[in-house]
Amino acid sequence: MSGLLEGLAFHKRDSPLHKLDPRVKLFYALALMIMAALHDKMLPLLVMLLAQAPLAALGKVTRMWLRTLRSSLPLVLLILGTNLLFTWLRGSLLDVYVIEDILALAVRFLVFVASFSIFTLTTSPDDLSLALEQMGVPYSFCFMFRAALRFTPVMAREARMTMDAQRARGLELDKGGPLARARRYIPILIPLIVNAITRAWSMAEAMESRAWGASRRRTSLYVLRLRGRDYLAFSAILFSLIMAFYAKFYLSLPYIIPIIRSALGI
């Protein structure tokens, strides 16, 4: 889980994807989530997932993007196991079509993670906060959102370092029952909570010393403006969203596992 959160941290690169306006990348992430929620077949969901690999390469964040997907595999297995269990409890027939529907749920979750990962890996929290502020979102909300994006990977990194330090001192986290494991996490949770409170207190003092909130009308040094590449990317995303709606309501998309079985003669 810590690897999943660390994989969502911003990585500065000199790439075309980093130079896009944050509002366009936010629209991209939201559009991918809408398209993934719209479809329930494996074929379009696989296309959405694989289509994001060239974007990760274009943004020069392929390694971190793949790490994020790899870190989300335990949640994918949880989704698969839970749906298989409830299918069995309902007494439903577990045929290839039901299995593909369950796999499609897992792929949909990966599409969510992949799209949001590309968005956070290539978008600075400061630029995102400025973009939201220019869209009319209250600055207090923008600041909270920026702080969450910035410090969540930091806390995940601290959790991993604390766990490694406690393991080096002989703490066994993977042995015993659920209650015993929960008790062993107390030496990890206490330092994390103390660090979080200390960080929040330091941030509050820094904000107070800078008279945060004293002026209702804030000004910014930088102003984001959409350029030609932004309009081009926005048009491509909008076209993909329209085609996703068209494929959902006007095309009959097949199941792919029966096609693969028939092709292999199984």
Side-chain angles (χ1 to χ4, degrees):
M1 184 61 70
S2 62
L4 176 60
L5 296 177
E6 289 180 31
L8 298 177
F10 170 67
H11 286 70
K12 188 174 182 180
R13 299 285 190 274
D14 184 15
S15 73
L17 211 57
H18 284 75
K19 296 176 182 178
L20 284 179
D21 191 281
R23 292 166 290 188
V24 176
K25 288 183 281 189
L26 179 61
F27 177 63
Y28 155 78
L30 294 177
L32 257 295
M33 292 180 183
I34 292 173
M35 288 188 285
L38 182 66
H39 286 274
D40 55 0
K41 293 290 184 65
M42 174 74 79
L43 181 60
L45 291 171
L46 275 178
V47 171
M48 296 177 201
L49 180 61
L50 296 177
Q52 297 184 69
L55 294 178
L58 184 65
K60 301 179 181 179
V61 291
T62 304
R63 184 176 61 85
M64 296 303 302
W65 183 70
L66 291 176
R67 180 183 176 185
T68 305
L69 294 181
R70 186 172 63 250
S71 301
S72 64
L73 288 181
L75 296 177
V76 172
L77 296 177
L78 178 62
I79 293 172
L80 293 175
T82 303
N83 284 275
L84 287 173
L85 176 62
F86 279 97
T87 302
W88 177 74
L89 291 176
R90 289 197 306 264
S92 302
L93 178 62
L94 196 63
D95 55 8
V96 292
Y97 300 101
V98 175
I99 293 176
E100 181 165 334
D101 288 337
I102 295 175
L103 290 174
L105 293 175
V107 176
R108 176 187 291 166
F109 173 75
L110 287 177
V111 173
F112 289 159
V113 174
S115 60
F116 191 71
S117 176
I118 290 179
F119 169 66
T120 55
L121 287 171
T122 60
T123 307
S124 168
D126 296 331
D127 292 340
L128 178 59
S129 176
L130 180 58
L132 293 175
E133 190 176 356
Q134 291 185 196
M135 292 169 61
V137 179
Y139 179 74
S140 57
F141 177 81
C142 298
F143 181 82
M144 289 186 294
F145 189 61
R146 178 176 60 184
L149 285 179
R150 176 171 295 175
F151 290 111
T152 298
V154 174
M155 294 184 65
R157 195 176 303 115
E158 288 182 353
R160 178 174 53 81
M161 294 173 60
T162 304
M163 292 173 64
D164 293 340
Q166 296 292 3
R167 284 194 178 101
R169 292 175 173 85
L171 181 63
E172 296 179 346
L173 299 173
D174 302 326
K175 291 185 178 182
L179 293 179
R181 292 187 182 185
R183 285 195 298 268
R184 291 192 182 100
Y185 273 91
I186 294 177
I188 296 174
L189 292 176
I190 292 178
L192 289 179
I193 294 174
V194 171
N195 287 339
I197 294 175
T198 303
R199 185 180 295 110
W201 188 263
S202 300
M203 182 182 295
E205 290 182 341
M207 293 166 60
E208 186 176 359
S209 65
R210 290 167 173 80
W212 191 87
S215 176
R216 294 186 178 181
R217 297 189 61 182
R218 293 178 52 87
T219 58
S220 300
L221 178 62
Y222 302 102
V223 177
L224 296 175
R225 291 183 175 86
L226 295 174
R227 304 189 180 187
R229 58 173 177 262
D230 300 315
Y231 287 109
L232 181 61
F234 181 85
S235 302
I237 298 168
L238 183 60
F239 176 77
S240 301
L241 185 60
I242 294 173
M243 292 304 298
F245 274 93
Y246 178 81
K248 173 65 178 180
F249 295 108
Y250 294 99
L251 296 180
S252 178
L253 300 174
Y255 284 89
I256 61 174
I257 292 183
I259 296 177
I260 296 175
R261 290 186 61 186
S262 61
L264 297 177
I266 301 176

